[in-house]
Amino acid sequence: MENVDVLVAGAGIWGCTVARRLAEQGKRVLVWERRPVVGGNVRCETDPETGIEVHRYGSHIFHTHDDAAWNFVRRFVEFNGYQHKVLARHGDKTYFLPLGLALVNGFFNVNLTPAELPAFMADETRKKAIFDAFFRGYTSKQWGKPPEEIDSSIIKRVPVRASWDVNYFNDVRQGIPLTGYNSLFERMLDHPNIRVETSRALTLADLADFGKVYYSGPLDALFDYKFGHLPWRTLRFETETKDVADWQGTSVVNYVDAEVPYTRIHEFKHYHPEQKDVMACGKTVIMREYPATWKPGDEPYYPVDTAESRALVEKYREEAAKYPALVIGGRLGEYKYYDMDQSVSRALACCG
Ligand code: UDP
């Protein structure tokens, strides 16, 4: 296409990082986004009634150990210093995750010190009790199969500590953009070398029109599911406005019991404690999250890492390799459970 050096198809965090980086290298970048708005699954909407920033596709907290990713995103937005904590409702009690002194002492009604915790938890019966209470039900709901059948790296995302630290992440660099996530994407794309066209999806036929194409939509969708669809997990959300200033007292409560049909409830105003007016408003927005098996027409959110899915991904990658102009990335494109910062790092790396 004339006046375009590269096409970036998909304006999520990977695509926007690629677009910006290439634009700054002097490339003329055209961005196509399938949806009418940019931001991918990090997209937010400001609730008109309360001013609350609602994470349209579930909670997103930027957290990282990687200086390059952190320095890159902070060129566009300032972060508010929010530190993520997650509570877990089990039975009629609420506990602090992750697995540490707060959880163990609360669950077993003991008062262990850091030095005492490892020996106490070496007991297999106790280990099993904790696992069955906090991981078995949640994992079965989230992945549609028992924890024994999923890759152990997934559960290991949740830290284990012998301290009272209840920060959900080990990353000290953490927060929510003060001006909201949408401003991050809009500012990344605000460059004289970038032109954005929304409601525009890439097809294989378009590849011939561009010298280079960076794609971050679902890997299987690009090839029209010719080898069958990858086993994605999707999510359904139920959003509700409550006539109370504070409904659950925190941003995320996980409902870890199998009998509760949803996995967690988000209460978005807690992501912006600095927004005093929004916090004081007598209403709040909550969102229940229900995981499900992806079927055609659903949004894909999570890749399901199994031996079969890896083999299928490999087949699609071999197919993709037939198109030398094509670079595929992001969570959906690589079929990898990347966090936002990992997508930024990988995008920066692939642009040189
Ligand atoms: N997990 C769990 N119970 C919890 C929280 C997490 O069993 O209360 C397991 C579950 O399998 C989940 C994984 O740990 O998919 C990773 O959790 P994380 O909070 O990182 O998931 P995300 O926020 O990315 O959906």
Side-chain angles (χ1 to χ4, degrees), residues 33-46:
E33 167 52 49
R34 176 179 63 86
R35 291 184 181 144
V37 285
V38 299
N41 286 349
V42 194
R43 184 77 196 179
C44 292
E45 275 165 17
T46 303

Side-chain angles (χ1 to χ4, degrees), residues 53-352:
E53 183 188 30
V54 173
H55 299 207
R56 172 87 179 63
Y57 304 98
S59 286
H60 283 80
I61 300 95
F62 198 92
H63 60 97
T64 191
H65 263 87
D66 179 34
D67 283 335
W70 186 233
N71 292 336
F72 182 77
V73 290
R74 284 185 314 143
R75 286 177 46 204
F76 307 100
V77 288
E78 206 181 316
F79 284 82
N80 67 357
Y82 169 85
Q83 299 279 304
H84 197 40
K85 298 185 181 61
V86 177
L87 288 114
R89 175 74 57 86
H90 168 58
D92 58 2
K93 286 214 168 68
T94 306
Y95 303 86
F96 267 112
L97 288 170
L99 187 52
L101 281 179
L103 183 80
V104 173
N105 282 332
F107 186 68
F108 293 107
N109 200 19
V110 289
N111 199 13
L112 303 168
T113 64
E116 291 163 343
L117 185 83
F120 184 85
M121 282 309 296
D123 179 276
E124 288 302 325
T125 318
R126 291 189 185 124
K127 262 196 221 161
K128 183 173 178 329
I130 289 272
F131 189 81
D132 287 350
F134 296 98
F135 293 93
R136 183 167 298 285
Y138 188 102
T139 297
S140 307
K141 291 190 284 186
Q142 172 70 13
W143 299 101
K145 46 182 143 188
E148 290 76 15
E149 288 176 32
I150 67 158
D151 195 272
S152 62
S153 66
I154 290 175
I155 292 175
K156 287 190 189 137
R157 286 168 57 88
V158 182
V160 177
R161 302 190 186 113
S163 75
W164 288 99
D165 181 1
V166 290
N167 200 320
Y168 196 60
F169 305 121
N170 286 327
D171 302 313
V172 282
R173 300 177 184 94
Q174 239 185 88
I176 306 285
L178 277 169
T179 43
Y181 276 107
N182 295 352
S183 67
L184 169 64
F185 297 104
E186 283 150 14
R187 291 174 193 178
M188 281 163 100
L189 296 174
D190 182 14
H191 187 282
N193 285 347
I194 300 179
R195 184 155 59 88
V196 180
E197 291 178 6
T198 52
S199 304
R200 199 72 219 255
L202 179 77
T203 65
L204 279 180
D206 297 315
L207 290 177
D209 297 337
F210 301 93
K212 196 101 190 166
V213 176
Y214 293 80
Y215 171 79
S216 54
L219 177 63
D220 49 359
L222 181 61
F223 299 99
D224 211 13
Y225 308 100
K226 68 187 281 189
F227 304 124
H229 70 75
L230 288 161
W232 301 99
R233 294 295 285 170
T234 190
L235 299 171
R236 180 171 68 81
F237 298 108
E238 264 176 24
T239 309
E240 225 184 299
T241 301
K242 297 278 190 190
D243 284 326
V244 60
D246 191 354
W247 190 74
Q248 64 179 15
T250 192
S251 41
V252 177
V253 177
N254 287 358
Y255 284 75
V256 295
D257 296 338
E259 303 74 54
V260 181
Y262 41 88
T263 45
R264 47 191 167 187
I265 301 184
H266 312 259
E267 185 173 3
F268 297 108
K269 64 161 43 170
H270 292 287
Y271 287 126
H272 285 286
E274 79 286 357
Q275 294 180 351
K276 300 293 176 211
D277 291 354
V278 174
M279 288 304 282
C281 153
K283 293 185 181 218
T284 189
V285 177
I286 65 159
M287 191 166 95
R288 290 187 175 80
E289 179 175 325
Y290 299 80
T293 302
W294 180 93
K295 55 183 184 345
D298 291 339
E299 292 288 346
Y301 291 89
Y302 293 92
V304 185
D305 184 25
T306 61
E308 301 90 84
S309 72
R310 265 177 246 158
L312 198 48
V313 165
E314 211 30 62
K315 268 178 108 169
Y316 278 115
R317 288 207 184 122
E318 279 165 19
E319 194 63 18
K322 294 180 187 161
Y323 299 85
L326 186 60
V327 180
I328 298 183
R331 186 190 276 207
L332 304 182
E334 283 196 53
Y335 200 75
K336 286 255 171 70
Y337 193 170
Y338 291 137
D339 289 330
M340 288 188 280
D341 65 318
Q342 293 171 301
S343 286
V344 171
S345 311
R346 293 188 68 81
L348 293 174
C350 86
C351 299

